[in-house]
Amino acid sequence: MGRLIDWTFLAVGLLAVPVAAQDARLEAGTRVTRLVAQPAELTFEAGTTARISIQALDAAGAPVDAELRIVGRGVSYADGTVTASEGGEGVIIASVILPAGSSAEPASLTVPVDVTWPSVTRIDVTPLDAETLYAGTSVRFGARALFGNGGEHGEAAYTWSTSDRSIATVDARGNVSAHAAGRVAVHADFDGARGSATLDVPALPVTALELRGGGDQARQGDVVAFEAVASGPGGIVRDAPIAWAVSFQPDDSIKAPGAAGIVNDGKFVGEQPGLYTVFARVGGHVAAATVDVSPRSVVREVDVQGQGSVNHVHSSDLWVFEGMDGRDYAVTGTWGGDGWAYFWDVTDPANIAKTDSIQVDARTVNDVKVSPDGRYAALSREGASNRRNGVVILDLSNPARPTIASTYDEGLTGGVHNMFATEDYLFALSGGDKYVILDVRDLANPRYVSEYNHPDSRVHDVWVHDGVAYSAEWENGVVVVDVGNGRWGGSIENPVFVTNVPYPVGATHAAYPYFQEETGRFYIFLGDEIMNRQGAAWGGAGLGRIPEQGGTPSVTRGYIHVIDFTDPEHSVDVARYEVPEFGTHNMWVADDELYVAYYEGGVRVVDVSGELMGNLATQGREIAVYKAFDPDGYTANAPMAWGPQPHKGFLFFSDFNLGIWSVRIQPPTRPIS
């Protein structure tokens, strides 16, 4: 419920005033003994807003003009306004921000929030799996509880029933089983409202069932497609609802988990080696086929090449590129590092050498990007002393010694967290609200072209592929916009909204579009970012805090979601890559391999060839994992992979605590000497 908070929340309040006044307010925070809220608790209806005022007081009860950090959990907070799209319980957490180096315990306050649901006025009941329910078959039904304003209750728990149990019954999940021909109504009740669907149940005309297609051999993770063909006296019965199931005989009964196979509408994937039997059933007719699943065997060795150590400050993102002089370079940013960015010569990945350092007016250079032709680089700015922020454009004529060509901040004063660079245009996020498109063909004079701002949404990242922009927008999932493809009438001057694929986790942090040549499918990989482990048995020692130098490592959770976007009008959530106890950050996909920075889980390489289905992490698809350790790191021996990028046969990645690293993933087999 509500919006999950990115690491940028640490800067709340600090961007609002010039440095001198800002420091004074931080110092004033040392006098604060308590915080008070008006009102002391909140109750409001989902879909509406509530106002709250939080004030800092000293020991005498006098107000103090101090910096406060105010965030919502389960609800969203911005400038005194609290919102929530769903009912439930949440909290507003406020604390005083103290000067760097202060050992005092900051005053804090927690305000409980109760978000109620509006009254349900209508319930729609519809079949989900098939339109026709024959006697002797089952069809799953779904329900939508709607409010008077058209909104939907997201947590409705329905009571299901039928009008005649001799004709059909229904279980607690809405699965309707027909026992005889006749007419019957299916009811769903919730919150005093009832929805119904009336069905005419015909006799089942099926006399035979067979499985077609598929195959008797597969590797772990391979999708095998079967077709169940039901026939009767009149020929093929195309609308017969098929029930699918799978059984498993493991190669190793000790190692294999119980649920090792998935079958969905005839598509089967085996997650563990062994013999699987796929069943299709309609009425009393059953057809079966066996599939022998062998190990995927894609694990490859990792050879460490080199490190560019950054141990005095947190590192942020990186970009690796071939310079105009033919050598290979990388640029890395810093997080909370007084606006520094570093350039590295990585031509020899085993000897990463810093070539230059550039400081801009910022607290954080969160993102760095380089154009595909290596002509320019861009540095994002957050926390500028003059509150203008914006982007800094660098001329890479000499990539080892770049020069500042220009700074652009019009419309970008709220802070630029992420960017995307093409040869002629730069997409720059503005305060997490929208992205602005700049013409950078003349590096000295960037020009505003257009922008896109999705309604009621907060954007974190954007990636452009084939003239289409895919932006990661937290609880709104991915927003797709035509910015020059033209299929939907969009252009770089006139971005046109295509579609929105919301994701219920509400933590969509990054989106990476990828066309898979082998299958012709177009996938979008979406990454969560959740900076805590609330609710987990192991919450972690860091409790989600960003560590100071030498401090306790952070903890994260979340995973990669895989969306089949081949048909943009009918996208399907098909797979995931989930590793317990770690959370994702930035990623890259190339040559059917997913490279993902999994924070304290290290940088990971995953085989994403072929059709994708189920949890890729349990299918033997992991190629390699590397966790960087450095006893001299900003946080010693604490891997925190931030961003990966493959380049010319090597994998480069930045680590939040340790700088820039290079490794080589060895080929699947090595020649015998």
Side-chain angles (χ1 to χ4, degrees), residues 205-210 229-237 285:
V206 175
T207 57
L209 180 67
E210 65 172 316
V229 179
S231 57
I236 294 177
V237 183
H285 305 280

Side-chain angles (χ1 to χ4, degrees), residues 631-653:
D632 298 320
Y634 185 86
T635 302
N637 290 325
M640 198 69 175
W642 177 289
Q645 184 183 342
H647 182 78
K648 295 186 178 180
F650 297 92
L651 175 60
F652 295 85
F653 65 95

